[in-house]
Amino acid sequence: MDLSKLNPEQLQAVEATEGAVLVLAGAGSGKTRVLTYRVAYLIDDKKVEPYSILAITFTNKATNEMKERLDSLLGENAGVWVSTFHSLCARILRYNAEKLGYDKNFTIYSDADKERVIKRIIANKHIEKNGFETKVAFHIGNAKTYMISPDEYRTECGDRDAMEICDVYEAYEEELRAANAMDYDDLLIKTYLLFSEFPDVLARYAERFRYIHIDEYQDTSRLQFKIAEMLASRHGNIFAVGDEDQSIYGWRGADIQNILDFQKDFPEARIIKLERNYRSTTNILNAANSVIANNRGRFDKKLWTDQAGGVRVESYTGEDDRDEADYVVRQIASLVRGQGYSPSAFAILVRINALTKKFEEKLRFYRLPYKVYGGFKFYERKEVKSLLAYFRAIVNPRDNDAFLRIINTPKRGIGDSVIEEIATLSAERGISISDVLFGEAEEFLSPRSAKKLAAFKSLFDKLLAQSRNMGLGDFAEYVAEEAGFFLAFAGDKEEDISRKENINQLIGEIKDFEKENSGASIEEYLQSVSLVSDTDEIQSEECVVLSTVHSVKGLEFDVVFVTGLEENVFPSQSYNKTTAEIEEERRVMYVAMTRAKKRLYLTCARSRFMYGSTQYNPKSRFLKEANVTRPATIPSSTSVGTSRPFAGGQQSAVEAPKRSRDEIVRSVNGAAADLSKLPSGSIDYKLGEKVVHPRYGVGRIIQITGDNASVAFDGLGIKQFNMKVAPFKKA
């Protein structure tokens, strides 16, 4: 095959086919090209059977892109197994679920499904604590990351609600098992257990996959590493591509040490660096590298580009967040109307979803088309989840959550008392809700409930019969019509119109899936939907992208605005406690900056209205580190930016600052892990508690995040305090 399009380092990586290889691929260095060319090279030049090649990506979008590129290189890539980690595990488990006591048609619960089940368990246990389901969901995810059982986690949790948390965790695990369901974490855990407990199964897959490729290696968890290590145990050919400077998913369990310790895990490994950047100008790279050089846990890389100079990186400080938003959108309008840029050339990046509102207002004012990403995903919308729940119930009759969702959706006069009676019978008799409705327990329903449920049972029988006779797309349309979705949203209110549009969009996407996957089953479609990630929903549309940084990782734009650059915003106050946390925030900043191809703007505001109050935060340390307050310099050579070199010029990396399990618990997802617990030595305030302030009087605590509290005072609004030094006391 023609390898002339590869630079020398890329070619070296492609031709390094045997043993363990780590490719350090800096931002914009062509890692996807290297991965696809290497797979094609193995097949075309080395005559390796496609069946024995595995390529693991981190998003469905990346999977589809790799498949398309392989098609263009080979004409046909049938037999190459290209998938995400979770899809790989789901597929393996479908074939082997019975060994672990599951039916092959098990349901995969999304994060939203998980919280819904947890919320129901909490209600059944009569636990009344604000935000408790969020706390429990985090702790369950944290426990599963380390494969810790409910009993073990009681001593590991470190939260004053540990007993209740673990009681809910235990009940959640029981419900999953009874419902023949797994959540995202289970897909990895059960695959690891499958390989550990059934060596013959592992031997079959380890023998099959002679060459294993892993993209975005810096984002792998320890459990994912162990699964990959198991799969490579027979042939030892593992090819990992990643960039430790873009490791930004620690809060999801990603372990940066996997990439930093690659040579420790595979002592004979080769390390190849891709340091040429094809995306950004030198001015953008200078600023990005100036920021990331402040991190200790990284390899020695010197990114360079031949796109010398370019437009200088601009910084702007708004008087407030409205002024900041106005500046950003005026720049976009000017470039669109004055220099011919398309709206799709722009990305406005925020650290948290709460910052998008002001930008949306200004984009509408300037009549610029835009789309928001990183917030409420399409597949998590209520009407979409409800229609998909019909599919889930048909495929997996033991899925109690699906049945509870659809029994009275759309509304058909089945009240809460009837649903409670069904759920109680199910729990008392240890059977599924479908067994209560259609099986032996039906006779124990009260006559009133049986009458109320008759129409639903008739509907479900009809849908079940048609599911065997209709194509996927036609069946989706049939379910929406027969179940009453179109009738329920037939009104002319904006909400009804929006929900009907969402139903029609879902049906259209199901039909597209059917076209692209001839003969696909309902089970296959549900699996593809259940594993959709944040980035998958970003489409190529003629609109400005307004997004969180995490949602655009892997994408690029001509013009990027990194906004909200104030301390406690970016870096987030929840990630500003330990060296490891601030280094991850710095990597998020680096990822944001390196999305830019031609122009980069860094903005902040002197005051910002957030969470019901005006905040005054100093400028982000990242602005100073970017060194853009003076004109960017263009070096005489094409080498820009360096990280701290290592003793003796070795290729190995220094260790990233370690995080203890407690630090991970505290730092994840805006401190959602512990919504009411404060550090040792501080006063033990709780949500909803009244306090007295010497100046503002009596107030009530309405939010606690880390050391900070939001307190609502009558007639004065909401004010922010650090509780370690706040001059208030309990009322």
Side-chain angles (χ1 to χ4, degrees), residues 380-397:
E380 300 297 347
R381 297 183 186 279
K382 183 178 179 180
E383 60 276 11
V384 172
K385 293 287 290 182
S386 295
L387 181 53
L388 290 177
Y390 279 90
F391 282 30
R392 285 169 48 190
I394 286 167
V395 167
N396 177 16

Side-chain angles (χ1 to χ4, degrees), residues 94-198:
R94 293 285 181 204
Y95 287 113
N96 300 280
E98 290 86 353
K99 292 181 180 295
L100 297 175
Y102 288 83
D103 184 273
K104 68 177 182 178
N105 293 328
F106 60 83
T107 299
I108 301 173
Y109 280 3
S110 69
D111 288 339
D113 298 326
K114 175 180 176 179
E115 287 214 17
R116 177 181 164 94
V117 173
I118 290 170
K119 190 172 183 178
R120 188 169 68 246
I121 292 170
I122 289 171
N124 290 341
K125 290 182 175 293
H126 306 291
I127 300 172
E128 297 181 0
K129 295 182 179 180
N130 291 335
F132 196 59
E133 63 270 15
T134 304
K135 178 193 281 193
V136 172
F138 164 76
H139 277 291
I140 290 175
N142 189 55
K144 289 191 173 188
T145 295
Y146 296 99
M147 294 184 66
I148 303 174
S149 69
D151 282 341
E152 293 170 326
Y153 200 61
R154 282 185 171 87
T155 59
E156 297 280 352
C157 183
D159 190 289
R160 64 168 164 236
D161 295 323
M163 296 304 292
E164 289 173 311
I165 288 169
C166 292
D167 285 347
V168 176
Y169 178 14
E170 190 170 48
Y172 172 73
E173 290 293 275
E174 290 172 358
E175 178 147 344
L176 281 180
R177 175 67 74 167
N180 188 38
M182 300 183 194
D183 60 24
Y184 288 157
D185 296 312
D186 286 328
L187 295 177
L188 301 176
I189 292 170
K190 303 301 183 187
T191 302
Y192 177 79
L193 292 175
L194 177 71
F195 287 166
S196 299
E197 296 174 10
F198 299 92

Side-chain angles (χ1 to χ4, degrees), residues 215-486:
D215 192 12
E216 305 287 8
Y217 193 69
Q218 75 281 350
D219 292 331
T220 54
S221 67
R222 202 63 189 166
L223 192 52
Q224 288 168 331
F225 161 75
K226 294 300 293 183
I227 292 170
E229 185 183 44
M230 286 172 150
L231 288 172
S233 60
R234 172 66 179 86
H235 300 290
N237 298 322
I238 186 166
F239 185 84
V241 181
D243 179 10
E244 79 287 356
D245 290 335
Q246 298 185 70
S247 178
I248 62 173
Y249 291 108
W251 52 279
R252 285 185 181 175
D255 189 345
I256 193 174
Q257 288 301 141
N258 287 346
I259 191 168
L260 297 179
D261 290 346
F262 193 83
Q263 281 188 310
K264 293 180 183 178
D265 296 325
F266 305 99
E268 303 300 319
R270 295 177 61 184
I271 293 185
I272 300 169
K273 298 179 184 179
L274 304 184
E275 298 174 289
R276 181 178 180 179
N277 177 284
Y278 290 91
R279 178 185 298 155
S280 307
T281 64
T282 53
N283 283 342
I284 293 170
L285 276 185
N286 273 332
N289 280 285
S290 181
V291 170
I292 201 63
N294 290 276
N295 274 7
R296 293 191 294 112
R298 58 192 302 264
F299 288 93
D300 177 21
K301 294 197 301 295
K302 299 177 182 178
L303 293 185
W304 62 275
T305 179
D306 58 8
Q307 300 182 64
V311 179
R312 66 166 288 179
V313 177
E314 297 287 344
S315 64
Y316 180 79
T317 303
E319 289 301 315
D320 56 23
D321 46 349
R322 287 185 179 277
D323 182 33
E324 178 196 33
D326 189 61
Y327 167 80
V328 168
V329 179
R330 276 191 291 110
Q331 297 303 311
I332 295 173
S334 175
L335 290 169
V336 168
R337 291 157 191 169
Q339 297 195 30
Y341 278 87
S342 162
S344 61
F346 299 90
I348 303 172
L349 304 184
V350 297
R351 179 63 183 84
I352 51 176
N353 293 321
L355 269 61
T356 64
K357 185 178 179 182
K358 297 292 191 304
F359 295 105
E360 291 185 70
E361 291 172 357
K362 291 298 181 182
L363 286 164
R364 287 194 295 267
F365 178 80
Y366 282 92
R367 297 184 179 180
L368 286 165
Y370 71 94
K371 198 159 185 178
V372 182
Y373 296 97
F376 200 51
K377 294 191 289 186
F378 174 75
Y379 289 103
E380 300 297 347
R381 297 183 186 279
K382 183 178 179 180
E383 60 276 11
V384 172
K385 293 287 290 182
S386 295
L387 181 53
L388 290 177
Y390 279 90
F391 282 30
R392 285 169 48 190
I394 286 167
V395 167
N396 177 16
R398 288 165 56 190
D399 190 341
N400 284 359
D401 184 66
F403 273 100
L404 288 174
R405 182 183 285 273
I406 67 176
I407 285 175
N408 195 41
T409 304
K411 291 189 180 300
R412 51 177 62 92
I414 300 174
D416 291 344
S417 60
V418 177
I419 294 173
E420 186 177 348
E421 182 181 346
I422 297 168
T424 301
L425 268 174
S426 170
E428 287 176 348
R429 297 185 170 274
I431 57 177
S432 69
I433 284 174
S434 66
D435 285 335
V436 173
L437 293 172
F438 304 102
E440 60 190 36
E442 181 183 1
E443 62 185 278
F444 294 101
L445 287 169
S446 66
R448 177 178 171 275
S449 293
K451 183 177 180 180
K452 289 273 188 181
L453 291 165
F456 170 73
K457 290 169 60 180
S458 176
L459 166 67
F460 193 79
D461 283 337
K462 187 192 299 184
L463 297 180
L464 189 60
Q466 289 300 321
S467 70
R468 306 185 186 102
N469 303 322
M470 301 178 75
L472 198 55
D474 290 340
F475 180 63
E477 202 161 15
Y478 180 79
V479 172
E481 182 66 49
E482 292 297 318
F485 283 92
F486 292 132

Side-chain angles (χ1 to χ4, degrees), residues 515-630:
K515 288 178 185 176
E516 295 168 5
N517 301 272
S518 180
S521 65
I522 297 176
E523 295 93 326
E524 290 170 319
Y525 172 72
L526 285 175
Q527 179 165 306
S528 74
V529 170
S530 67
L531 299 173
V532 166
S533 68
D534 298 343
T535 311
D536 296 333
E537 293 188 16
I538 297 184
Q539 307 295 328
S540 298
E541 299 179 32
E542 280 303 313
C543 60
V544 176
V545 168
L546 178 53
S547 174
T548 59
V549 179
H550 286 85
S551 291
V552 296
K553 185 172 179 290
L555 304 181
E556 58 184 36
F557 305 87
D558 284 346
V559 185
V560 169
F561 296 83
V562 185
T563 66
L565 287 169
E566 300 113 42
E567 292 292 311
N568 299 320
V569 180
F570 197 174
S572 165
Q573 63 182 358
S574 302
Y575 287 77
N576 199 0
K577 298 175 184 177
T578 68
T579 302
E581 290 168 2
I582 198 61
E583 289 209 354
E584 175 141 336
E585 283 291 282
R586 189 173 284 113
R587 293 193 293 269
V588 176
M589 178 66 178
Y590 177 77
V591 166
M593 297 173 75
T594 54
R595 300 312 93 200
K597 296 167 66 177
K598 298 177 180 178
R599 294 173 181 265
L600 175 63
Y601 296 79
L602 309 177
T603 70
C604 62
R606 291 188 173 89
S607 68
R608 184 175 302 279
F609 189 81
M610 289 177 62
Y611 307 125
S613 67
T614 300
Q615 299 183 7
Y616 300 89
N617 292 305
K619 289 183 180 181
S620 170
R621 70 194 74 186
F622 300 150
L623 273 173
K624 181 179 180 180
E625 292 172 1
N627 195 27
V628 296
T629 54
R630 58 181 182 272

